[in-house]
Amino acid sequence: MCRNITTLRGLEPAATEQEIEAAAIQYVRKVTGVTRVSDATREAFDEAVRAVAAATVRVLADLPERRQPPSTVPPLRREDVQARIAARVAAREAHERAHDEGRAHTHDEHGAMVTAD
C-alpha cells in the first residue's frame, strides 16, 4: 500500500500516539490523494485521521504479541528524522517571530523564509 507506513505492532517500547497519528496521516494522504490540507479538505481529512488512528489503537490492542519485533524502526524514532522535524519547527518559529516583530522578509522557491538582514 504505502511504503512510508511502518509496522507499529511489536515495538519496544510500544507505539506512541505520535507514531500512530503519523501512520494514520500517511494512510489518509495515500488513499485520498490529499498532500496539503486546505480549508476545503481539513474537516474530512482530520476526521479520517482520527478514525484511522482509533482503529489502529484498537487493532494493536486486540492482536496477540509479535514473536519478533518489526525489522524497521519507525521514522519518529530515527535521529535524522527527529533532527529534520526540529529544524522545521525552528524555522516555523523563526518565521512567526519575524511576523510578530514586523521584520520584512520574502520566501524562496521552497517557501523558506529569506530575510533582508
Side-chain angles (χ1 to χ4, degrees), residues 5 10 15 22 29 41 53 55 71 82 90 92-93 96-97 103 110:
I5 299 174
R29 281 183 180 161
T41 61
S71 59
Q82 291 175 351
R92 187 175 326 128
E93 289 172 352
E96 290 172 3
R97 270 194 311 279
R103 288 185 300 164
H110 303 290

Side-chain angles (χ1 to χ4, degrees), residues 3-111:
R3 290 180 291 181
N4 291 337
I5 299 174
T6 58
T7 302
L8 299 178
R9 181 173 161 234
L11 292 176
E12 283 300 327
T16 65
E17 280 185 38
Q18 293 82 9
E19 290 167 331
I20 291 170
E21 182 179 11
I25 289 168
Q26 285 296 330
Y27 175 80
V28 173
R29 281 183 180 161
K30 183 70 171 187
V31 299
T32 64
V34 173
T35 56
R36 292 195 180 247
V37 179
S38 67
D39 289 341
T41 61
R42 183 170 318 283
E43 187 175 337
F45 188 90
D46 290 347
E47 177 55 33
V49 169
R50 281 190 295 275
V52 170
T56 302
V57 168
R58 282 192 307 274
V59 74
L60 290 175
D62 291 347
L63 289 172
E65 293 204 19
R66 286 178 63 123
R67 292 183 188 160
Q68 294 186 344
S71 59
T72 58
V73 176
L76 293 178
R77 295 186 183 195
R78 297 182 197 146
E79 288 183 21
D80 61 319
V81 173
Q82 291 175 351
R84 283 198 313 265
I85 291 169
R88 266 197 311 263
V89 168
R92 187 175 326 128
E93 289 172 352
H95 189 211
E96 290 172 3
R97 270 194 311 279
H99 280 277
D100 291 346
E101 295 169 0
R103 288 185 300 164
H105 65 278
T106 59
H107 302 96
D108 66 14
E109 65 275 5
H110 303 290

